[in-house]
Amino acid sequence: MTRSEEESLYLSLLSQLQSPEPALVRAALVSIKHQVIGHDQTKEVFVRLGIVDALVSILNSELSTRDKVWQDVKVEAGIVVGSLAYGGESLILHLLRSAALSPLTASLNPDRASPKLVQSSLRTLNTMLDTYISPSAPLNPAVAISAALYTPECLQNLCEILSQERADRQEQISLAASLIAKSCGRVPHISGGEAEETAMQREGMHQKLLVGAGVLDVLATRLAAFAPDEYRRNCSEDTKLPAPAPPNARIAPILDAIAAIIRGSKLRSLEFLFSPTLAALFPTDDSKASSDASLHLPQSSDMLQRPQNITTPSAFPPLSSAVSFTLDDDERLRSGLTSETDPALEIPELEIISWLVALIRSGDPITRLSAASTLTNLFLVGLVSKRLVSYVALLVVPILVHLLDGEGKIVGYGNTGVGGIDSQTWNRWQVEERAPAVLARLVIENLEFQKAAMDAGAVKKLAAILKKVSEPSSSAANEANGHTTVDQSTQRSGPEYHHRMKVKEGVLRCLANLGLFKDDYRKKIIDAGVLKTVVGSCMKPLTPISVPQLAETNSSSNGECNPPSVLIAACGVIRSVSRSVSILRTSLIDAAVAIPIFTLLRHENDDVKIAATAAVCNLVLDFSPMRKPITEAGALDVLCDLIKGSNGPLKLNAMWAIKHLMMEADITTKRRSLEKLGVEYFMSIISTVTPLEEDEDEDEEMPDEPAMQHEERLPPRIRSAVKHLQKQERVSQAARSRKEATALQEQGLEFVRNLICGAEVDNMIDHVFECIGADRLLSLYEKLLTTPNQPSEIVSAVVYGIVHIAAGAPRHRQRIIERTELLRVLLGFWNHHNANVRSGLAWVVINLTWKEEGSEAEGVQSRINVLKGLGWAERLRDMQKDPALDVKERVKTAEFQLGNGSVSSAGSSTAGSSR
């Protein structure tokens, strides 16, 4: 049949769709279905001829909805729409532009639509979410679908679908749960200014809607249906439990949906753990031990190594979430920017945790990963008991490392693939993508889990995977051999490319998290050859970045282009390994990471710039060999421009980096940095932050919020914690904004500290006083110290700023001694809880009473008299019994100088500069 004959046939079939006779319409749709399934070119022809509008019209039709024939017509139309969705990005975008989304979501009502239509619509929506859509696409299907799904009507429909227990409805339940897992949290990405604040307000919006609609409780009930009989036998006869799950039911999609809802929230995690069905099936009994029999766990937890305190070199202090390479919920959750008012909740050993561990040990790969993802979410919010944490390291982490190889029989969510990929390949891809991602989240900031992963050989496996997925794809290789010609943009929009990028991202994040704390682990990462792959294949953006100073470097750049998610993860690896001084001075130089990282500071995506500046913070330290090339490339101008932007985390990272850049910098660079920032703008950063009150919003009237359903089922102490978390969640957005602003203020104050430290310190202090004003700066210090509930970080920064000024020339010391109120306020911190602050007070005395050889004896004695008159001598005597050894040693020196007015001449001390 010729092409013209085929098109004539297709047009004839399309004309039948306008018939008022449902039998003719159904016959035409069946014929079209057979024509398009598995034939992408035929799909494109039908779309060009206008089939989508006809299908949308049929699905929207309200005529004769109770007529079985018309119901069959809608089912066939839905199947054809689903087949078109399998055609890839261009056809999905056409469906969205043609308003096909509205009838698809409307077809999820099980009371009005036939079961086949509900299932077909669910499958189509899942396909749209599974298909890779290029970042440059005019529409984002995930965002569009989420906007249509998270309405009261659709959520009620999903709740009804999930509540079904019939065996022939299990496919619907699995698809509905998968739809929730894939769509939850998919909101438009916006950043900067008011847009960023709006995004913060929407954080967790979908999850809250799902909880409010009762979806989480229904999912918990569905999960309970899979519980082993041993748990059911322990329940009383009047306990209402769901029927056991039929053989065709799948637990993995249920776990995925639950994991998506509870992620990053202790409140939602508690609501899940104590949902009515799970509370009945796994009762909380503090006197009852966990069900070790089902896990085959050793009875003595002393056999396992306990977690150790995390320590990091002082040159590389732990970075807050704003300077981390990823801004996901986990790092926010475990960073300094989370609320300090989390209730102390000692969670009892819950048997559901033991069951999750058992699922991870015995299920198929996808079920194992789904259970591990749920368990990881519970662990990250502190809801796994201390005893079971060691069991997780012993039993769960090695299994996740084993899954990195993709071994084992893989059971998928269905018999069809996505976007031309067969089902077996698609399901294997899911394991390859998810295994490193789940492991990365589990080991973050936990030394015991990191050790377990390292002992299981994770680095060697991850390095091999990274090298494999960074090699050119088969199409690219053929093109290089001259076999075919493929447009690069086409390669970057294919499912294989998307799969490799997701694997690459997960592997990079896992490597970064494994190397966060221990030098031995970083060395293993370097020895595995990871850096060469990261720099050569993971740091080239999709869109070339023009850097005038690096024109030659840009033109010679090779390697595959990467989406923002991979660039962010690659920056995380550089940031992680650069915490080692030896690696910073050797391997990173050999890998030539400086210029690729610097180039990413100009990326169009703010999250990429946030990750790049986090890495640059370590690369521009004074002992880093990469400081010079990064500085010569124009880092100072770029960082100052970023500080003046509107993105909060990016401003903080840039300020942190420029603070490091000022360490031991020449006086010309220091002066230029202050000039580039602008004195008034810089002063606005360090002057306008209001600290968080201890009982903030305690009496403020809050908008009504639904209480946790079935709250009476909670144990009393957990009920109290839930109420506290509900209140905290209402104020957390404003609190986070204030904490980010406070962190920025701290780095700004530390920036001043580094400006007035090092070579030509006297001239630099004079320059700062001239630009800012001595009285203005010292008045600001006094104001910050007198502000109630001031965070210790701000107090420390102010104290050491004064220490550095006092380490200048006699005229600078005189400026401070004249401010008796400032000295009186300083004295009030002699018993501050932070030892660094107490040590700083001793340094103030040491520097103010310093006597240079053969000079200003009268000035020194005058300053001593002022300090004694304010009571400093008495306070120093009180500090002799300080528990911190460093404080006691500094106090000895301060007392000696305050009493004698002299000490062996060695030059005044600055107590170190700020890193």
Side-chain angles (χ1 to χ4, degrees):
M1 186 180 296
T2 64
R3 178 173 298 180
S4 59
E5 291 175 336
E6 286 181 347
E7 290 199 8
S8 297
L9 173 61
Y10 299 161
L11 287 170
S12 174
L13 291 173
L14 291 176
S15 65
Q16 291 185 38
L17 299 182
Q18 311 300 323
S19 172
E21 295 296 327
L24 290 177
V25 177
R26 182 182 180 280
L29 287 170
V30 171
S31 180
I32 293 172
K33 176 180 69 174
H34 294 319
Q35 295 283 347
V36 299
I37 290 180
H39 299 87
D40 289 345
Q41 291 183 344
T42 304
K43 295 175 185 177
E44 293 176 359
V45 173
F46 270 108
V47 168
R48 178 166 52 82
L49 295 177
I51 190 175
V52 175
D53 290 338
L55 294 172
V56 170
S57 177
I58 292 173
L59 291 174
N60 277 328
S61 174
E62 295 290 340
L63 298 177
S64 303
T65 54
R66 295 183 181 180
D67 190 313
K68 185 180 183 306
V69 180
W70 274 115
Q71 286 288 353
D72 291 342
V73 168
K74 282 195 170 186
V75 169
E76 296 298 336
I79 293 174
V80 174
V81 171
S83 178
L84 295 178
Y86 276 100
E89 176 181 336
S90 61
L91 295 184
I92 289 176
L93 294 178
H94 189 93
L95 288 170
L96 294 177
R97 285 193 295 265
S98 302
L101 188 54
S102 178
L104 285 174
T105 55
S107 299
L108 300 182
N109 187 338
D111 295 331
R112 302 189 62 189
S114 68
K116 289 184 178 180
L117 181 58
V118 172
Q119 183 169 315
S120 171
S121 299
L122 286 169
R123 191 181 300 280
T124 301
L125 292 170
N126 273 278
T127 300
M128 289 180 169
L129 290 172
D130 286 333
T131 303
Y132 174 69
I133 305 296
S134 62
S136 59
L139 290 174
N140 187 330
V143 174
I145 291 172
S146 295
L149 277 180
Y150 291 91
T151 63
E153 296 79 12
C154 281
L155 291 178
Q156 181 61 36
N157 291 338
L158 289 174
C159 205
E160 291 184 20
I161 293 171
L162 293 169
S163 299
Q164 302 172 113
E165 294 189 355
R166 291 174 50 177
D168 59 353
R169 298 290 190 269
Q170 295 306 310
E171 183 68 14
Q172 287 186 24
I173 293 173
S174 296
L175 290 170
S178 297
L179 185 60
I180 292 171
K182 296 167 187 174
S183 63
C184 189
R186 305 294 284 271
V187 295
H189 177 78
I190 50 180
S191 60
E194 294 181 1
E196 182 182 357
E197 184 178 349
T198 302
M200 288 176 58
Q201 293 173 352
R202 292 181 306 176
E203 187 176 299
M205 176 183 64
H206 289 165
Q207 291 87 340
K208 293 175 184 176
L209 290 172
L210 288 164
V211 173
V215 173
L216 181 59
D217 276 347
V218 174
L219 286 168
T221 301
R222 293 274 64 78
L223 179 65
F226 293 88
D229 291 339
E230 61 186 274
Y231 294 108
R232 292 175 173 271
R233 287 194 295 266
N234 294 331
C235 297
S236 59
E237 294 182 0
D238 59 345
T239 302
K240 186 178 180 181
L241 295 176
N248 63 332
R250 291 194 294 273
I251 191 174
I254 305 297
L255 288 168
D256 288 339
I258 292 170
I261 295 173
I262 68 174
R263 177 168 176 159
S265 172
K266 180 179 287 188
L267 176 59
R268 291 192 294 273
S269 298
L270 285 171
E271 295 192 39
F272 159 66
L273 290 174
F274 294 96
S275 61
T277 309
L278 294 182
L281 191 61
F282 304 102
T284 302
D285 184 355
D286 294 345
S287 64
K288 181 180 178 181
S290 181
S291 179
D292 288 346
S294 64
L295 286 172
H296 307 290
L297 298 177
Q299 296 299 309
S300 175
S301 60
D302 295 334
M303 298 169 61
L304 305 175
Q305 179 182 349
R306 307 302 295 174
Q308 301 174 353
N309 291 331
I310 294 174
T311 58
T312 56
S314 60
F316 300 92
L319 305 181
S320 69
S321 82
V323 291
S324 64
F325 63 89
T326 175
L327 297 177
D328 62 15
D329 293 332
D330 304 324
E331 294 215 5
R332 282 201 180 101
L333 189 69
R334 302 179 65 81
S335 72
L337 293 184
T338 53
S339 173
E340 297 177 357
T341 59
D342 277 351
L345 177 63
E346 183 67 27
I347 195 73
E349 285 194 12
L350 301 173
E351 292 189 349
I352 188 173
I353 304 296
S354 303
W355 180 40
L356 288 174
V357 174
L359 286 173
I360 296 170
R361 298 181 68 202
S362 60
D364 63 87
I366 290 181
T367 299
R368 287 179 165 187
L369 289 170
S370 300
S373 181
T374 304
L375 179 65
T376 298
N377 288 338
L378 296 173
F379 166 74
L380 288 175
V381 295
L383 296 181
V384 176
S385 65
K386 293 180 179 179
R387 190 173 77 98
L388 286 180
V389 167
S390 292
Y391 293 152
V392 172
L394 179 69
L395 301 174
V396 174
V397 174
I399 290 175
L400 291 176
V401 174
H402 178 74
L403 287 175
L404 294 174
D405 296 327
E407 299 177 1
K409 182 180 179 181
I410 299 174
V411 179
Y413 292 169
N415 299 320
T416 56
V418 175
I421 306 300
D422 63 88
S423 60
Q424 184 176 1
T425 301
W426 175 257
N427 293 324
R428 174 172 55 83
W429 281 7
Q430 298 308 297
V431 176
E432 293 174 353
E433 293 169 10
R434 295 179 63 185
V438 173
L439 181 61
R441 295 184 59 237
L442 183 60
V443 302
I444 187 171
E445 296 191 15
N446 187 287
L447 278 173
E448 191 174 9
F449 292 172
Q450 291 170 10
K451 182 181 185 301
M454 299 298 292
D455 291 345
V459 167
K460 184 177 180 180
K461 291 186 178 184
L462 291 167
I465 295 171
L466 182 63
K467 183 177 180 180
K468 178 182 177 181
V469 298
S470 298
E471 293 173 350
S473 61
S474 56
S475 58
N478 290 334
E479 180 184 4
N481 295 329
H483 295 159
T484 184
T485 301
V486 182
D487 181 67
Q488 284 191 351
S489 61
T490 302
Q491 293 179 24
R492 294 199 296 264
S493 63
E496 181 186 3
Y497 170 83
H498 179 50
H499 162 66
R500 289 191 298 107
M501 293 303 107
K502 292 188 72 173
V503 174
K504 191 185 289 188
E505 177 192 357
V507 169
L508 290 171
R509 288 186 183 275
C510 196
L511 288 168
N513 290 345
L514 288 172
L516 274 177
F517 300 116
K518 295 184 73 71
D519 263 3
D520 290 345
Y521 298 168
R522 299 182 191 115
K523 189 176 184 302
K524 287 185 179 181
I525 292 172
I526 297 298
D527 292 343
V530 168
L531 271 185
K532 181 179 179 181
T533 307
V534 171
V535 177
S537 303
C538 303
M539 300 188 71
K540 183 178 179 181
L542 295 173
T543 305
I545 301 173
S546 175
V547 182
Q549 299 94 323
L550 307 172
E552 294 183 3
T553 304
N554 292 341
S555 63
S556 61
S557 177
N558 297 316
E560 187 174 41
C561 297
N562 299 275
S565 59
V566 173
L567 300 177
I568 292 169
C571 290
V573 174
I574 302 302
R575 167 182 171 257
S576 181
V577 299
S578 67
R579 295 169 71 91
S580 166
V581 176
S582 61
I583 292 174
L584 189 65
R585 290 176 168 174
T586 54
S587 302
L588 289 175
I589 285 290
D590 297 338
V593 305
I595 299 308
I597 282 282
F598 172 77
T599 302
L600 293 180
L601 293 178
R602 297 178 179 269
H603 197 278
E604 61 185 1
N605 184 289
D606 279 354
D607 288 341
V608 174
K609 287 187 283 192
I610 290 170
T613 50
V616 167
C617 283
N618 288 348
L619 300 184
V620 297
L621 283 162
D622 55 307
F623 50 79
S624 168
M626 283 164 286
R627 171 190 264 200
K628 183 177 180 180
I630 290 176
T631 304
E632 291 176 347
L636 182 59
D637 290 344
V638 175
L639 291 173
C640 288
D641 289 340
L642 295 178
I643 292 171
K644 293 179 179 180
S646 57
N647 185 292
L650 184 53
K651 290 172 66 174
L652 174 56
N653 280 14
M655 181 60 77
W656 204 312
I658 204 172
K659 176 196 77 173
H660 284 180
L661 194 59
M662 292 302 104
M663 267 287 298
E664 302 297 335
D666 60 84
I667 192 169
T668 302
T669 302
K670 290 182 176 181
R671 287 180 172 180
R672 188 163 175 270
S673 67
L674 196 54
E675 176 186 353
K676 181 71 177 176
L677 281 174
V679 171
E680 295 306 319
Y681 181 78
F682 176 71
M683 290 300 291
S684 71
I685 290 176
I686 65 174
S687 304
T688 58
V689 176
T690 302
L692 193 65
E693 299 291 341
E694 287 182 343
D695 299 318
E696 180 176 20
D697 295 328
E698 191 72 31
D699 301 319
E700 182 178 342
E701 189 170 327
M702 292 294 174
D704 292 336
E705 183 171 311
M708 179 177 173
Q709 297 181 14
H710 310 287
E711 194 173 277
E712 66 279 358
R713 67 178 178 258
L714 300 177
R717 58 198 179 91
I718 295 179
R719 190 182 311 160
S720 175
V722 165
K723 290 181 179 179
H724 184 97
L725 289 167
Q726 287 173 333
K727 175 187 173 182
Q728 179 182 309
E729 193 172 84
R730 293 194 291 264
V731 301
S732 62
Q733 295 167 358
R736 184 187 302 166
S737 297
R738 277 186 287 272
K739 285 180 180 258
E740 288 182 352
T742 300
L744 179 62
Q745 183 189 34
E746 176 197 354
Q747 296 308 311
L749 293 167
E750 299 282 17
F751 168 75
V752 175
R753 177 180 169 184
N754 283 356
L755 282 180
I756 56 178
C757 170
E760 300 186 67
V761 59
D762 295 351
N763 292 335
M764 198 60 218
I765 295 176
D766 287 337
H767 181 71
V768 170
F769 279 0
E770 179 183 348
C771 292
I772 297 177
D775 289 336
R776 184 182 183 186
L777 181 60
L778 295 176
S779 295
L780 172 63
Y781 284 169
E782 183 178 328
K783 177 183 177 182
L784 292 175
L785 291 177
T786 54
T787 302
N789 303 318
Q790 190 69 271
S792 61
E793 295 84 2
I794 300 298
V795 175
S796 178
V798 170
V799 168
Y800 281 95
I802 297 172
V803 169
H804 282 232
I805 295 173
R811 61 183 180 276
H812 303 134
R813 290 192 275 275
Q814 191 61 32
R815 281 281 194 177
I816 294 176
I817 210 69
E818 291 172 355
R819 312 234 3 153
T820 55
E821 188 58 34
L822 174 61
L823 292 171
R824 187 175 289 109
V825 172
L826 270 175
L827 192 57
F829 291 93
W830 72 274
N831 60 349
H832 193 273
H833 65 86
N834 188 323
N836 198 40
V837 172
R838 303 195 302 273
S839 179
L841 297 186
W843 277 115
V844 170
V845 176
I846 293 171
N847 286 351
L848 286 177
T849 59
W850 185 265
K851 180 181 177 181
E852 298 180 7
E853 288 185 348
S855 65
E856 64 140 8
E858 293 183 2
V860 173
Q861 189 59 51
S862 174
R863 292 194 293 273
I864 289 175
N865 293 337
V866 172
L867 291 173
K868 286 183 175 179
L870 292 172
W872 279 79
E874 291 80 1
R875 287 308 183 199
L876 288 175
R877 279 196 296 272
D878 293 335
M879 295 172 68
Q880 288 177 350
K881 298 180 181 180
D882 195 282
L885 179 61
D886 178 67
V887 176
K888 287 193 288 188
E889 292 300 318
R890 300 290 79 76
V891 167
K892 288 179 183 179
T893 305
E895 280 196 305
F896 178 82
Q897 292 186 194
L898 193 62
N900 295 275
S902 63
V903 74
S904 57
S905 177
S908 61
S909 171
T910 62
S913 51
S914 168
R915 290 194 175 98

